[in-house]
Structure formats: structure tokens, C-alpha cells
Amino acid sequence: LSLSLSLSLSLSPPRARLSLSAYTAGLSVDQYVGIIGGLLSNVGKNLKSPHKFEAFHQAIRGPDFDFYQFGNDFVDTLMITEESTTEGADKLTKIDDLVAKGDNVILLANHQTEADPQILRLILENAGKDALAQKVIYVAGHKVTTDPLAIPFSMGCNLLCIHSKKHIANPPEETAEKQAQNMATMSKLQDLLKGGGQCVWVAPSGGRDRPVVEEDGSKEFQISSFDTKSVEMFRLIAQKAGKEAKKSGAEQTPTTHFFPLAMLTRKLVPPPDTTDSTVGEKRSAKRGTVGLAFGPEVTADSSKAVLSEDASKDEQRAAFATAAEISVKEMYAKLLKIETDKESSETTSGVVTEAKGLSKVEVDAYIAKVKADVDAVAKARVLA
């Protein structure tokens, strides 16, 4: 299995596309092989003995391997940073200031690719928010903590590990155990919020957005609906954390703030068209642009704007989640328009020979050198 996985990573067509992405990003052969070698080595280790994630996992930065930097380096080869979009810089500054002063921020985001944590980190670092980038905690489902190919990337993230509502009953005999694990994770979240200074990213939809087929046959991603109960659970935990902090006599009682975050990231490592609770999905990686937009804080008062005069009790209970979802969808639509306008008005850097003025011979020589070196690394890692 290790040999099969290693060779599929190094020989398959997606590998050639990733090589092109690395070349376009300006990486040397040694740099690229170092990244792929690190991936193969750690995938092999996790095939033999999978890393066990606690309810709260903190990013592993050493001493032997920096998983945080590895994830950033890998995704950085895929992101066309100079053509990507970040909206809501003033909101991002406010988020950074709130966390720095000891308050908490929960980012209510849509979710499109397993690389979203690394994409967010790179965007924050490019905005000069390195400390915030390293502090963000991601609410993560079981796939990224059990799939050997995803585990090395997850080891470099701060994670609150849960079982998504979409998959918690599969298989049925494990439902009670999964629910107990979720309770332990939420208890840890409350402790973290009680201490203050936390930034937590969560996808209230419970999973990644999926593409829908348009009338012209093309596919475009649709934002998955936010789960009201999930959003309300995070609000309740935040309220309890504030009360506990006050009871403990803390000098400063942290307030938890909720901000919507739209993520247009599906180009880099798109998910499969359908939802499946099993691990081991087929993945492809290619270079592309991303778009992120930070929206205004959602509050109990601001969420009332989404209610009609004759709103039902259910609609009133769902107002906060609805307001956050509407904000994300509006920002996403704007990001999509910006992307579409750019693509229609200028030549992208997706084709290496056009972007750098390089001959096909030069590109092929780079890929051939990468292939030989990666193959050697793959076989050496498997034999080890």
C-alpha cells in the first residue's frame, strides 16, 4: 500500500500538474522535491502508525519536522498570490486587535477545500498578521485526522477534532462514541474561550461546498447552508465561557465575537462532487487564485435585520445563523464576480510557457528532473 501510494503520487498526471505549479511559483527542483519528500515520508509513517489526535491538537512545529511550515510551503506552490483577492481588510484588522487584547473571535465560514487552513494562514501572513495566523484553531472533521494523505497537513494545524453531523451516524454502532468525543471537544472549546485571546474557524455547514451543474453544463460551487443548531451551540458555549471567566475572578472577562468569512478556494484542491463519509477520496491539486472576504461582526442586534415583522419563532431562533450565512453568500458572490472579471479581461498565469516566456523544452526538462528525483525519494521512503 505504501509503495502504491508513493508511486501514484509521483507518477500520476496530478503530479505533473503540481510540478508545473511549483515551477510557475519559482521553486527550484530541490525545494519541490523537499516538499514532496516530506509528504511521502509522513504519509508512509501514518500508513504504518497513524497519528492520534486529541480533542484539542496543537500544531507540531518540531523538533524533527515543522508540519505548520510544510503545509504552508505545499499550498504556497498552488496559490497565485499576486492575482488573489482579500476583501474586508478593516474587518481583519479589527479581528486581529480583538484577539490581541484578549477577546475571542469565531469565524463563521464556508468551506471548499482541505487546504482552507493553509490558505487562510498564507493570506493572514501576507497581510502582516503572522501571530494571528499561527493562533487560529480549526474545527476539523474525522476525514482530515484519519486519512493518511491528509494527516501530515492536519498535524501542522491547531485543531478542535469533532465528528460532523453529516457523518456522525455512519456507522450507527459508533454514534454514541462519536457524540461523547464531540462533547469532550466542546468542553475544551469552552475552556479555551474562558481564557480569552482565541480565534476559532468553523464551517457551520458541517462540510465542504459542492459543485452544481449550471444550465450551460458548467459546474460552479454553491455555498452550503449553515446549520442553525451548530451556530447556536457555539454562541451558547461562548456565553458559558464568559460567565465562567467572570465567576473565577479573572481581571478581564473575555467577550466572544462572531465574524463571517467567505472563502473562494475551490480551484486548488477541489472536493469530489458528492459527499462520502469514507476516507481515501481521490485528490487533484493545481495552481490557481483564491478569494477571501472578512465581513462585519454579526451580533444579536444586527441579526434582527433579516427578520420580517411576522417572523415565526423558528425564524427568530435561526436569525443569527441566517444573518451570518447571508453575509457569507453576499461576499462570496462579490469574490466570484471579481474572479470572473479578471479572467475575462486578462491572460492568467496558468500556462507556464506563456507566463514566463519559456520554451516547452525547458518546462519538460524541469518536470523530468522532478520526476526522477521524486521517484527516488518515494522508493527510498518506502524501503525505509
Side-chain angles (χ1 to χ4, degrees):
L1 181 59
S2 297
L3 179 60
S4 171
L5 176 59
S6 298
L7 293 182
S8 70
L9 282 169
S10 60
L11 300 176
S12 62
R15 191 276 311 152
R17 291 196 294 272
L18 186 58
S19 299
L20 284 172
S21 297
Y23 191 89
T24 311
L27 268 68
S28 68
V29 169
D30 287 344
Q31 288 173 315
Y32 176 66
V33 171
I35 293 172
I36 295 300
L39 175 61
L40 293 176
S41 173
N42 285 290
V43 168
K45 290 176 182 177
N46 283 289
L47 280 167
K48 294 177 182 177
S49 179
H51 180 80
K52 301 298 182 185
F53 289 83
E54 300 295 331
F56 175 50
H57 168 83
Q58 292 180 281
I60 299 173
R61 303 298 306 265
D64 300 322
F65 193 82
D66 188 338
F67 288 90
Y68 178 98
Q69 193 59 49
F70 156 73
N72 280 14
D73 290 344
F74 187 98
V75 175
D76 198 31
T77 67
L78 302 175
M79 249 177 68
I80 306 177
T81 305
E82 64 276 12
E83 295 179 22
S84 294
T85 302
T86 304
E87 295 281 302
D90 56 329
K91 314 301 187 305
L92 176 54
T93 297
K94 183 178 180 181
I95 290 168
D96 191 34
D97 290 344
L98 287 169
V99 174
K101 80 169 190 176
D103 274 358
N104 303 305
V105 168
I106 293 180
L107 299 172
L108 301 174
N110 69 300
H111 179 27
Q112 295 199 326
T113 167
E114 289 174 330
D116 279 347
Q118 289 79 20
I119 292 169
L120 177 57
R121 291 195 318 229
L122 289 169
I123 292 294
L124 293 177
E125 289 179 2
N126 289 332
K129 314 293 185 186
D130 296 59
L132 182 62
Q134 295 177 42
K135 182 179 278 288
V136 180
I137 301 169
Y138 302 87
V139 179
H142 76 287
K143 282 192 174 184
V144 295
T145 58
T146 55
D147 189 316
L149 190 58
I151 287 175
F153 297 95
S154 298
M155 290 171 70
C157 300
N158 302 315
L159 301 178
L160 283 163
C161 302
I162 64 165
H163 294 276
S164 167
K165 288 179 68 175
K166 289 184 178 180
H167 309 299
I168 200 165
N170 186 19
E173 62 270 19
E174 295 180 6
T175 300
E177 181 183 354
K178 291 178 180 179
Q179 289 173 334
Q181 291 174 0
N182 283 358
M183 291 294 290
T185 299
M186 292 300 101
S187 177
K188 182 60 182 178
L189 171 61
Q190 184 172 319
D191 288 343
L192 290 167
L193 297 180
K194 176 183 172 182
Q198 305 297 331
C199 183
V200 179
W201 177 100
V202 62
S205 64
R208 287 167 289 176
D209 302 331
R210 304 289 171 170
V212 294
V213 180
E214 304 292 347
E215 291 183 0
D216 61 0
S218 64
K219 290 182 179 180
E220 187 48 70
F221 280 68
Q222 180 175 313
I223 302 295
S224 299
S225 297
F226 285 8
D227 182 74
T228 298
K229 290 182 179 178
S230 294
V231 174
E232 289 305 304
M233 179 182 66
F234 276 86
R235 293 182 69 201
L236 179 61
I237 290 172
Q239 291 167 6
K240 286 183 176 179
K243 290 177 181 177
E244 287 295 319
K246 192 172 183 180
K247 260 194 224 178
S248 68
E251 291 183 9
Q252 179 183 349
T253 301
T255 300
T256 299
H257 308 263
F258 292 80
F259 285 81
L261 170 61
M263 303 190 73
L264 179 65
T265 58
R266 79 279 191 241
K267 286 183 177 179
L268 274 57
V269 188
D273 291 351
T274 57
T275 301
D276 188 350
S277 61
T278 59
V279 298
E281 67 185 48
K282 182 179 179 181
R283 295 173 175 86
S284 63
K286 62 181 180 179
R287 192 161 161 81
T289 58
V290 301
L292 266 67
F294 298 87
E297 182 176 359
V298 180
T299 66
D301 287 337
S302 70
S303 63
K304 292 177 183 176
V306 305
L307 294 174
S308 61
E309 290 184 3
D310 57 347
S312 66
K313 288 185 177 179
D314 286 344
E315 289 173 331
Q316 292 174 33
R317 280 191 290 268
F320 198 94
T322 301
E325 182 180 334
I326 289 173
S327 181
V328 167
K329 287 182 174 178
E330 288 176 347
M331 293 188 294
Y332 186 88
K334 183 177 180 181
L335 290 172
L336 195 58
K337 185 176 187 308
I338 292 172
E339 178 190 86
T340 303
D341 289 346
K342 281 183 179 179
E343 290 177 349
S344 63
S345 64
E346 61 186 40
T347 302
T348 68
S349 59
V351 181
V352 177
T353 52
E354 293 180 2
K356 287 193 168 186
L358 299 166
S359 69
K360 185 176 184 300
V361 173
E362 290 175 304
V363 175
D364 287 347
Y366 177 88
I367 292 177
K369 179 69 167 63
V370 167
K371 179 182 180 300
D373 287 355
V374 170
D375 286 351
V377 170
K379 291 173 184 176
R381 298 294 183 188
V382 171
L383 292 174

